[in-house]
Amino acid sequence: MATILVVLIVLIFLAALIVGLYFLVTYNSFVTLKNRVKEAWSDIEVQMKRRYDLIPNLVEVVKGYATHERGTLEAVIQARNMAMASQGSKEEKAKAENMLSGTLKSLFALSENYPNLKANENFLELQRELTDTENKIQASRRFYNSNVLSLNTKLEMFPSNIIGNMFAFKKEEFFKLDENEQAAKQPVKVSF
């Protein structure tokens, strides 16, 4: 009888240890995922800041060649300022960034009508840097969304959802194009 009691105590202890370890590992994985999402968002913000810094230089170069394209230039600056000022949710930030990307496309489309601008070394370098930055933003968005997907999936899966809810971990928003923003998905139309 004593042997059965000892075995039962050992089994209960092992079960408690396993459950405790599961809670510990799951909690730590939530913390890791939450921090990865924060890091990925920070990467996006760094690339967006770089883009904000490049845009005024690009606009100044284009101004010298396309003085009668004031509306396009003002739209780019206005979209940049709106994107920089956006302090709302990640969805609102994404919408402002998508608007900025659209105006940049129209600015680059202007160069097609100005051969001297198209050949200008400063313009070409700024265009390369902005293209590189756009590519880095897209890569950062994919990295961010991948981390958000991992966190959100873990928060929905049983039994990790119990631990996530116990410790008040929250789902994060994806950084994506708004499906209603069809204009952002269409090619830029430029008319003179």
Side-chain angles (χ1 to χ4, degrees):
M1 187 69 163
T3 316
I4 293 175
L5 188 58
V6 169
V7 168
L8 190 59
I9 290 173
V10 168
L11 288 176
I12 291 172
F13 175 76
L14 286 176
L17 183 65
I18 289 170
V19 169
L21 284 174
Y22 177 77
F23 267 77
L24 179 69
V25 168
T26 303
Y27 175 81
N28 287 339
S29 68
F30 274 120
V31 170
T32 300
L33 288 171
K34 183 179 82 168
N35 288 332
R36 283 186 184 156
V37 167
K38 284 182 182 178
E39 174 195 18
W41 182 252
S42 177
D43 289 347
I44 290 172
E45 288 181 326
V46 165
Q47 294 307 322
M48 289 186 305
K49 170 78 169 92
R50 181 172 181 236
R51 179 169 62 173
Y52 301 153
D53 293 343
L54 289 172
I55 289 171
N57 296 332
L58 183 65
V59 168
E60 286 303 314
V61 170
V62 173
K63 270 185 188 177
Y65 288 92
T67 55
H68 64 283
E69 302 299 341
R70 182 181 206 105
T72 302
L73 299 174
E74 288 174 356
V76 171
I77 292 298
Q78 182 180 8
R80 173 192 178 259
N81 292 341
M82 285 175 52
M84 286 179 68
S86 177
Q87 298 296 323
S89 69
K90 290 177 181 149
E91 184 178 330
E92 290 169 0
K93 186 75 171 168
K95 190 178 276 191
E97 289 300 318
N98 291 327
M99 191 181 310
L100 178 57
S101 293
T103 60
L104 282 174
K105 287 178 187 176
S106 64
L107 182 65
F108 288 131
L110 281 178
S111 69
E112 297 299 320
N113 290 337
Y114 297 95
N116 291 340
L117 173 62
K118 205 171 166 180
N120 181 286
E121 231 177 271
N122 289 338
F123 179 78
L124 292 174
E125 182 57 30
L126 287 167
Q127 188 176 22
R128 272 193 292 275
E129 285 188 45
L130 271 172
T131 300
D132 180 53
T133 301
E134 291 294 327
N135 290 337
K136 288 178 181 176
I137 289 172
Q138 290 303 319
S140 296
R141 282 180 180 176
R142 284 191 299 272
F143 180 64
Y144 171 81
N145 285 338
S146 173
N147 284 306
V148 167
L149 177 64
S150 297
L151 176 65
N152 291 350
T153 300
K154 193 164 188 97
L155 281 168
E156 291 178 5
M157 291 178 64
F158 180 80
S160 62
N161 64 341
I162 295 170
I163 297 167
N165 289 330
M166 275 177 40
F167 293 101
F169 287 99
K170 301 287 182 209
K171 289 176 122 182
E172 292 287 336
E173 296 176 33
F174 288 100
F175 193 51
K176 61 182 178 176
L177 281 175
D178 185 359
E179 290 181 22
N180 295 327
E181 294 286 325
Q182 292 298 322
K185 297 178 183 179
Q186 301 300 321
V188 177
K189 295 176 185 169
V190 178
S191 59
F192 297 98

